[in-house]
Amino acid sequence: MLKNDYITISEASEEWGLSQRQIQHLCTLGSVKGAVKFGRAWMIPRGAKKPADGRTKTARAERDADMPLPRKTPFLHMTDLYHTPGTADIVGESLSYNHEAQVLFRAEIAYSRGEIDKVYDIANYLLGKHSGFYAIQSAGMLLAMCAIWKGDLNMWRKAKVHIAEAPAKSDNDRDVMQLAISAVDIMLYNVQSFPKWFQTGCFDPIHKDAYPAAKVYYAKFLYAVAYSVATGALKLHGAKGLYVMSSVPYTLEPMICWANEKNTVMSEIYLRLTCAAVYHNCGNDTEAERHIDRALALALPDKLYGVLAEYCRALDSLMEKRLSLVDGDAWKEVKSLYKIYNEGWSKLSGAVRGKNILTTLSQKEREVAKLAAFGMTNPEIAEKLHMSLPAVKQAIRIVMEKSGMSRDQFAAIL
């Protein structure tokens, strides 16, 4: 029965003139009507119509301008659409049947690669095109992320307005909108805007397609809360120092296993790097390096250098240490991107929070200042960083001179 009624991907490839990999992606996206999966193999109904090439004039004319995205989430790159390292461009090609989705996915991958000018152009294109709800949410977030790299406060504010003005049609849409705005804020360690349901780790109000991204931003939320507690910026009854930070891996490790099992490449990269930052701050660099190495294995095949650059601040010298061992040229690219990101982030974060974030600290000076902000004593800092006590004291003096602030105010400049 199956043999007579269905054909294999190989047979469809010959019939349609498409690659087998592209047809497999189209089946995964639900673009091949009637396709069914048996084990790991897709079977296609005999006589099934070849999906239209979204790049042709005919297909564009037939397509609804507000055609729904293949996943109900603004974060297409974090879904299972992108499930194999090294295939980001192939996934982009496979979305040709849906112009909006293809443009959006490519913009998100471009951001992950640190191609900020390209992202800026695409975000403005989508916003000017009056795209659908999820596309506008994503375009607004992309514009906000561009604002971070450029240190542009006005762009940041306009991006949040675009997100808030997206054409929400239901309570679920409004919950996604609230989460998107919070996801923008968390980039600057603002933990106040997340909805109460999200703060408890509940994702019920949003569609399951958004779960991979929700887990990423929940991990960032936990890290930001723990960091704020460690520096004294946030007061929690009975908690101080790195106590909260040390408990975060118990939540993140299962999330990482989930992302790996679901084959959501981008969410796994973000979760592993966030977990690595937590372990690093708690003094467990062995576990931090384990997650960094796995994240690099996932990120390097598609040259996702922008994501790696984002985490250089949180990981201090560990990113250089691990990446330079694997690919020295990649580290040079990441280092160059981090310089741009760090300057933009510091400028925007300072403007938003009314603080003067220092960019003149050396890597070691910043690391010493951070541990001092965590409340560690000079001997504790010396032991953790394998420095001599006089070297720590000198670094503290330099930070005080550069910032004009006392030791107990270091959190405000980081």
Side-chain angles (χ1 to χ4, degrees):
M1 182 72 172
L2 286 175
K3 185 175 181 181
N4 294 330
D5 294 345
Y6 291 86
I7 61 175
T8 65
I9 283 183
S10 176
E11 291 170 323
S13 175
E14 294 182 9
E15 183 177 326
W16 293 347
L18 300 176
S19 70
Q20 293 184 35
R21 182 171 290 182
Q22 187 172 2
I23 294 175
Q24 185 175 8
H25 277 298
L26 290 171
C27 289
T28 302
L29 296 172
S31 304
V32 181
K33 188 175 181 179
V36 292
K37 195 172 187 180
F38 293 93
R40 295 185 178 182
W42 283 98
M43 299 297 289
I44 299 169
R46 190 175 299 279
K49 184 180 178 181
K50 174 184 175 182
D53 187 340
R55 295 167 294 186
T56 66
K57 291 183 179 179
T58 302
R60 286 197 296 269
E62 293 177 350
R63 184 175 54 238
D64 185 343
D66 192 24
M67 183 178 182
L69 298 180
R71 298 290 185 273
K72 294 182 181 298
T73 173
F75 319 95
L76 288 183
H77 67 317
M78 290 191 191
T79 68
D80 59 355
L81 294 177
Y82 178 35
H83 54 73
T84 305
T87 65
D89 293 329
I90 295 172
V91 175
E93 283 297 319
S94 75
L95 292 169
S96 60
Y97 72 97
N98 186 319
H99 176 69
E100 189 173 83
Q102 185 176 54
V103 170
L104 179 55
F105 180 85
R106 284 176 170 170
E108 291 171 337
I109 293 299
Y111 176 80
S112 302
R113 289 171 170 164
E115 299 167 350
I116 304 306
D117 289 338
K118 180 187 294 186
V119 177
Y120 177 77
D121 290 339
I122 295 176
N124 281 298
Y125 164 74
L126 287 170
L127 293 169
K129 183 175 174 289
H130 304 293
S131 302
F133 172 75
Y134 286 110
I136 289 179
Q137 292 289 289
S138 185
M141 289 191 65
L142 288 170
L143 192 63
M145 291 188 286
C146 288
I148 292 177
W149 284 75
K150 295 176 180 292
D152 191 325
L153 181 59
N154 288 330
M155 187 188 301
W156 168 269
R157 289 171 173 166
K158 288 179 180 178
K160 295 181 74 171
V161 170
H162 282 300
I163 294 173
E165 292 182 347
K169 299 177 182 178
S170 66
D171 288 340
N172 281 25
D173 285 353
R174 282 179 278 276
D175 285 327
V176 169
M177 180 187 297
Q178 190 175 12
L179 179 57
I181 291 175
S182 301
V184 167
D185 287 342
I186 199 63
M187 297 171 192
L188 302 182
Y189 292 168
N190 176 4
V191 299
Q192 304 303 319
S193 62
F194 278 107
K196 293 298 182 182
W197 54 265
F198 184 83
Q199 293 183 30
T200 63
C202 171
F203 306 147
D204 287 347
I206 60 178
H207 194 277
K208 64 180 181 180
D209 288 345
Y211 281 11
K215 289 177 183 290
V216 166
Y217 288 108
Y218 188 63
K220 290 188 174 188
F221 166 75
L222 293 178
Y223 175 76
V225 168
Y227 187 91
S228 296
V229 171
T231 59
L234 179 64
K235 305 296 183 183
L236 291 181
H237 180 69
K240 62 179 181 178
L242 292 170
Y243 174 78
V244 176
M245 185 85 73
S246 64
S247 67
V248 172
Y250 293 101
T251 300
L252 298 194
E253 291 285 9
M255 287 186 176
I256 292 169
C257 291
W258 180 91
N260 178 266
E261 192 271 331
K262 295 295 183 180
N263 294 319
T264 53
V265 172
M266 190 59 68
S267 64
E268 185 178 347
I269 292 171
Y270 273 111
L271 287 169
R272 286 189 181 277
L273 291 177
T274 303
C275 196
V278 170
Y279 278 127
H280 173 58
N281 283 332
C282 293
N284 190 345
D285 281 354
T286 298
E287 287 302 301
E289 290 175 0
R290 174 174 68 86
H291 282 297
I292 292 172
D293 290 349
R294 176 56 183 162
L296 293 179
L298 295 171
L300 291 180
D302 277 313
K303 299 183 178 181
L304 306 180
Y305 299 153
V307 177
L308 302 180
E310 277 187 46
Y311 278 84
C312 286
R313 273 186 74 86
L315 292 169
D316 299 312
S317 59
L318 275 189
M319 180 63 78
E320 176 182 4
K321 177 183 176 182
R322 304 311 297 177
L323 181 51
S324 59
L325 287 175
V326 178
D327 190 331
D329 291 335
W331 166 244
K332 291 178 182 177
E333 294 288 339
V334 171
K335 183 179 181 181
S336 177
L337 287 173
Y338 172 59
K339 181 178 180 180
I340 299 170
Y341 177 83
N342 187 45
E343 290 178 357
W345 184 93
S346 299
K347 181 180 178 180
L348 179 60
S349 182
V352 171
R353 296 190 285 169
K355 297 178 179 179
N356 181 28
I357 310 298
L358 278 187
T359 59
T360 58
L361 298 180
S362 70
Q363 191 175 70
K364 186 61 69 176
E365 289 164 358
R366 186 178 180 282
E367 200 165 358
V368 169
K370 181 175 69 174
L371 296 182
F374 285 168
M376 289 188 179
T377 64
N378 286 352
E380 289 172 335
I381 295 173
E383 181 179 0
K384 185 177 187 305
L385 299 182
H386 305 291
M387 297 172 62
S388 68
L389 189 58
V392 171
K393 292 179 178 178
Q394 182 181 18
I396 293 290
R397 284 196 298 270
I398 292 174
V399 174
M400 292 173 65
E401 290 172 0
K402 287 184 177 181
S403 66
M405 291 187 174
S406 60
R407 182 191 186 108
D408 59 2
Q409 296 174 310
F410 281 178
I413 62 172
L414 298 175

